[in-house]
Amino acid sequence: MRIGILGAGNMADALGTQWARAGHEVRTSGREPADAFARAAEFGEVVLLAVRHEGVEDTLRAAGGALTGKVLVDCTNPVVDGELVTRTGSAAQRVAELSGARVVKAFNLCHEDVWRMTPPAFDGAPLVVPLCGDDPAALATVESLVRDLGCVPALGGGLARAGLLEATAALVIGLWRGGADAQAILPPLAYAQGG
């Protein structure tokens, strides 16, 4: 699969490197030259949006119509200075409105170092990656990309529910910065089911 990446930071590098190892053709773009985002968007069958929240709208404008109808994976978090900064609805819904793409929210809950692990697994259990999106074919494509990293996809609902993933990221980031082990806030599934 051809994957275009909008962004050249740590998340772009971590996920792009792992997908390249899995056999995908990856093209990463930064701000220069001026048409870099548009070229990456045109290149990709799937496009990853991996920029800071403050740069999302400018990046989508720079990519232009090349995103229309494409699968766009949104790993961004609308978090500034530890606070969730969304309007009504989810930031992922806004990304869909601005881009015309089939957006799937994914990969936003973990630090880039987790995505550098081969595979991301803890105590022998693979990492579960929640996905939110409205398009079944786009979700299936992103599920495949999750499995390529050695992780387990988990469907979390439509883009309206992506706001819950975004809020979870804000909470978890705050806990980590405060020194708490965010994983420890949830019991294993067997205990959650009463057993």
Side-chain angles (χ1 to χ4, degrees):
M1 190 179 309
R2 290 187 320 276
I3 302 172
I5 300 181
L6 306 180
N10 292 331
M11 285 293 285
D13 178 63
L15 289 167
T17 297
Q18 295 291 27
W19 285 325
R21 284 185 186 145
H24 299 290
E25 192 176 349
V26 176
R27 181 173 295 169
T28 302
S29 64
R31 294 182 184 141
E32 299 294 329
D35 66 345
F37 289 135
R39 286 193 293 169
E42 289 167 4
F43 168 81
E45 298 166 74
V46 173
V47 178
L48 173 69
L49 177 61
V51 298
R52 292 189 182 275
H53 174 70
E54 299 88 338
V56 165
E57 292 195 15
D58 288 341
T59 300
L60 295 175
R61 273 192 288 279
L67 293 171
T68 303
K70 294 221 175 165
V71 176
L72 178 62
V73 182
D74 175 15
C75 74
T76 68
N77 280 313
V79 178
V80 176
D81 296 326
E83 296 297 321
L84 191 64
V85 291
T86 54
R87 305 170 194 174
T88 57
S90 70
Q93 287 172 304
R94 180 76 176 142
V95 168
E97 290 168 11
L98 291 171
S99 67
R102 298 177 294 144
V103 174
V104 176
K105 186 74 169 191
F107 304 108
N108 70 308
L109 293 182
C110 293
H111 188 271
E112 66 264 8
D113 289 342
V114 172
W115 303 120
R116 294 184 196 287
M117 298 172 66
T118 309
F122 302 89
D123 296 327
L127 183 68
V128 173
V129 179
L131 313 175
C132 289
D134 295 332
D135 184 284
L139 284 165
T141 297
V142 179
E143 284 179 286
S144 172
L145 292 173
V146 168
R147 286 188 191 95
D148 287 344
L149 298 178
C151 300
V152 177
L155 298 179
L159 278 186
R161 290 182 57 88
L164 298 174
L165 275 180
E166 295 161 359
T168 299
L171 173 67
V172 168
I173 290 166
L175 290 172
W176 283 330
R177 285 187 176 161
D181 181 356
Q183 182 182 5
I185 66 174
L186 298 173
L189 182 59
Y191 291 97
Q193 295 174 336

